[in-house]
Amino acid sequence: MNNITPLLKDNRKFSSYYFYNNFLLRIAIFLKENRGANTKIELIISHDAGNDLILQRNYIDSLTLPLIACLGEQLKKYYNSLVKFNFINSPSNLDVLAFLERSDFINLINEKSYLNPNGEGIFIFDKRYFGGYKKKPIRPEHKIRKYSLTHNLSEKLELILTDEEKRDYLVQHFAYQAKDHFHELLETTKNIGNKSILYIEILAELITNGVLHSKSNLYALMFSNIYSTKFSIADCGIGFYNSLAEKENSFLYNKFEIINALKDSFNFNFNISDKLKESLLAIFEALYFSLLKERYGLFDLILNVIIESNGVVRIHNMNSQVIISHRFINQLEKLYILRAEIINKYSEDLYDLEDDKSNKLDLVKLRDKCKLEFIKFGEKLLYQYSHDIKFSSVRFYKVTFKGVHIELEIPNS
């Protein structure tokens, strides 16, 4: 008999924190206890689907949909077959089912349509349970999106000679998609000013990194209400550490130098395994690598969300998470200025190729300043974990969830 695991349990909202801290733990325990057994996990919205008092409106946070899609992919690999998702059409479930259909989640996990007749599903489910409820107008910009190296895209990349040109092609390709999917919401987010094009550029870079380096599909969703604009992007790939391990050293970047520099910051009275340290410090390493790049990327996203919009960014890697907010404004403002100087120096290099040595030397000097300030930023964040656990900006989870997940919130006022 299969184990039916509910998403919604004990009257708890299905948030990202609940997903990592509770839901994944239940799944991991079942998989461990039934390894090799002829039994399989199944998902259900709620065991209490018939009780209107148990399930209230909007219980599933929209930011968790990319995580649920990634979970489905990981379970499919584990079992080498699709896992069943039970959607029960009852009075208490109508709002949740309507939300899942409006967000295009149902089409995404099915992935079989006249446009994609050979699509591979993520879950097995019965579409007959959907319908019969009052539908609200569909907002296309609130739909969950999937990004991947499709067969046609892979064929085009094979015709391109260099890795840099392949990357440029992918960034251009995903920039067009990101603009189509998210530009309208970003344009109406008052608190980002005139930087919607910059955000599109950054999102295209994140999507390219996800499908290229994580070696997996990537899922993203943006959602806006009167209070804030939220964004969630997740892959189920190899994670930051393994991705960074494939990088080559350059005149500007030495592999794992931030991981090695911050290891000493773990000298406090907590029993943290080397695996957890690696998972956490790889986040800092990825941010530092992004800080030194010629392209706008993850660290630019953080700088703009925090400094320009007073928002919050959460980055999850394997089984650790970093939460970056306005409490780190002093360190981030210094890095913001240095980052602008790096971008300007790269721009100068495009038009002054004869003075390449001089520009490289200037970039190295900026790198040294960045490294000092970045280590201060990392040490402060880790210090707060050791001295202020209740409101810590670092979280560790018992279950490893493969890949990288990034959430951001931008207040609309």
Side-chain angles (χ1 to χ4, degrees):
M1 182 178 179
N2 290 351
N3 173 273
I4 299 179
T5 301
L7 274 71
L8 305 175
K9 189 178 180 182
D10 302 327
N11 208 28
R12 297 279 300 277
K13 181 178 179 179
F14 195 82
S15 62
S16 298
Y17 179 80
Y18 181 78
F19 175 86
Y20 288 122
N21 216 42
N22 183 296
F23 181 67
L24 276 184
L25 186 59
R26 282 189 272 137
I27 288 180
I29 290 172
F30 171 80
L31 294 179
K32 184 177 181 180
E33 292 178 347
N34 293 274
R35 188 172 293 148
N38 189 23
T39 184
K40 195 173 181 181
I41 203 164
E42 293 182 11
L43 302 185
I44 192 171
I45 296 294
S46 172
H47 278 313
D48 306 295
N51 187 343
D52 289 337
L53 297 177
I54 296 295
L55 197 59
Q56 300 173 13
R57 200 171 285 191
N58 295 328
Y59 244 80
I60 296 181
D61 189 330
S62 59
L63 296 186
T64 63
L65 296 190
L67 294 175
I68 298 171
C70 284
L71 173 66
E73 284 206 12
Q74 293 186 36
L75 289 174
K76 181 169 70 172
K77 289 179 182 177
Y78 181 83
Y79 287 115
N80 200 27
S81 63
L82 299 182
V83 165
K84 188 174 182 181
F85 204 144
N86 299 284
F87 299 106
I88 306 301
N89 192 332
S90 69
S92 57
N93 268 351
L94 293 183
D95 285 328
V96 175
L97 296 186
F99 160 67
L100 293 176
E101 188 168 54
R102 282 199 307 272
S103 65
D104 218 30
F105 181 77
I106 299 307
N107 285 331
L108 177 84
I109 64 174
N110 183 44
E111 287 192 351
K112 291 183 185 292
S113 66
Y114 70 95
L115 293 174
N116 188 21
N118 299 315
E120 295 182 5
I122 300 175
F123 291 103
I124 297 173
F125 65 98
D126 192 338
K127 291 194 73 171
R128 292 177 299 176
Y129 282 120
F130 289 87
Y133 40 76
K134 184 178 179 181
K135 292 187 178 181
K136 297 179 182 177
I138 294 175
R139 293 191 63 180
E141 64 271 26
H142 282 177
K143 290 183 177 181
I144 185 171
R145 311 288 183 173
K146 176 183 176 181
Y147 304 91
S148 59
L149 284 177
T150 61
H151 179 69
N152 288 339
L153 196 54
S154 297
E155 283 187 338
K156 290 179 181 178
L157 289 178
E158 287 179 4
L159 301 176
I160 300 174
L161 296 179
T162 69
D163 290 341
E164 189 62 28
E165 288 175 329
K166 288 180 180 180
R167 182 178 183 80
D168 287 342
Y169 179 84
L170 281 179
V171 170
Q172 207 169 27
H173 172 81
F174 289 124
Y176 178 82
Q177 289 192 343
K179 184 177 180 180
D180 182 49
H181 296 161
F182 305 120
H183 186 254
E184 185 175 338
L185 272 184
L186 289 169
E187 280 283 286
T188 56
T189 301
K190 300 175 183 177
N191 211 12
I192 68 168
N194 59 353
K195 293 197 170 185
S196 59
I197 298 300
L198 173 63
Y199 274 80
I200 294 297
E201 188 176 339
I202 293 172
L203 294 181
E205 178 73 10
L206 295 184
I207 293 167
T208 300
N209 286 340
V211 299
L212 197 59
H213 298 307
S214 75
K215 300 175 174 60
S216 76
N217 297 321
L218 182 142
Y219 302 93
L221 182 144
M222 189 174 286
F223 183 85
S224 182
N225 55 31
I226 61 173
Y227 304 108
S228 64
T229 296
K230 301 179 180 181
F231 181 73
S232 175
I233 185 168
D235 65 62
C236 40
I238 61 177
F240 279 140
Y241 188 90
N242 290 329
S243 178
L244 289 162
E246 297 178 354
K247 305 290 183 189
E248 298 290 338
N249 288 338
S250 69
F251 78 96
L252 204 58
Y253 173 71
N254 294 312
K255 192 158 45 180
F256 297 141
E257 58 184 332
I258 291 300
I259 287 181
N260 294 327
L262 290 178
K263 276 182 179 177
D264 292 339
S265 299
F266 277 104
N267 290 333
F268 45 75
N269 296 322
F270 287 91
N271 184 22
I272 299 176
S273 68
D274 289 340
K275 182 181 177 183
L276 282 175
K277 289 181 184 179
E278 179 185 287
S279 175
L280 175 67
L281 293 180
I283 297 176
F284 291 97
E285 187 75 31
L287 294 179
Y288 179 68
F289 180 75
S290 174
L291 171 63
L292 300 179
K293 287 174 65 176
E294 72 278 13
R295 297 180 187 274
Y296 290 113
L298 179 56
F299 199 68
D300 300 285
L301 181 70
I302 291 171
L303 291 174
N304 281 277
V305 168
I306 307 300
I307 294 176
E308 301 286 351
S309 306
N310 196 22
V312 178
V313 178
R314 303 178 188 90
I315 306 172
H316 183 279
N317 176 58
M318 298 309 211
N319 49 359
S320 63
Q321 187 181 72
V322 170
I323 304 168
I324 305 174
S325 65
H326 209 260
R327 67 199 299 189
F328 303 105
I329 189 68
N330 291 334
Q331 289 74 29
L332 291 174
E333 280 182 337
K334 294 174 183 177
L335 289 168
Y336 186 85
I337 294 169
L338 290 169
R339 176 59 177 160
E341 292 182 35
I342 287 176
I343 290 294
N344 287 337
K345 187 53 62 177
Y346 277 122
S347 299
E348 289 175 15
D349 190 43
L350 290 175
Y351 304 101
D352 194 13
L353 297 178
E354 292 181 3
D355 201 21
D356 189 54
K357 278 188 179 180
S358 175
N359 276 341
K360 280 187 175 182
L361 186 60
D362 289 341
L363 279 169
V364 168
K365 289 177 180 177
L366 284 171
R367 186 273 315 274
D368 293 340
K369 293 179 182 178
C370 283
K371 184 177 178 181
L372 288 174
E373 291 301 327
F374 191 89
I375 290 172
K376 290 177 185 177
F377 161 67
E379 286 177 342
K380 180 177 180 181
L381 202 147
L382 294 172
Y383 176 86
Q384 287 193 336
Y385 173 74
S386 62
H387 293 80
D388 186 15
I389 296 177
K390 185 176 180 181
F391 300 103
S392 174
S393 294
V394 173
R395 290 174 178 168
F396 293 110
Y397 297 99
K398 295 180 180 178
V399 180
T400 298
F401 190 64
K402 282 188 66 178
V404 173
H405 174 218
I406 301 167
E407 284 183 0
L408 62 90
E409 289 185 47
I410 302 174
N412 282 340
S413 63

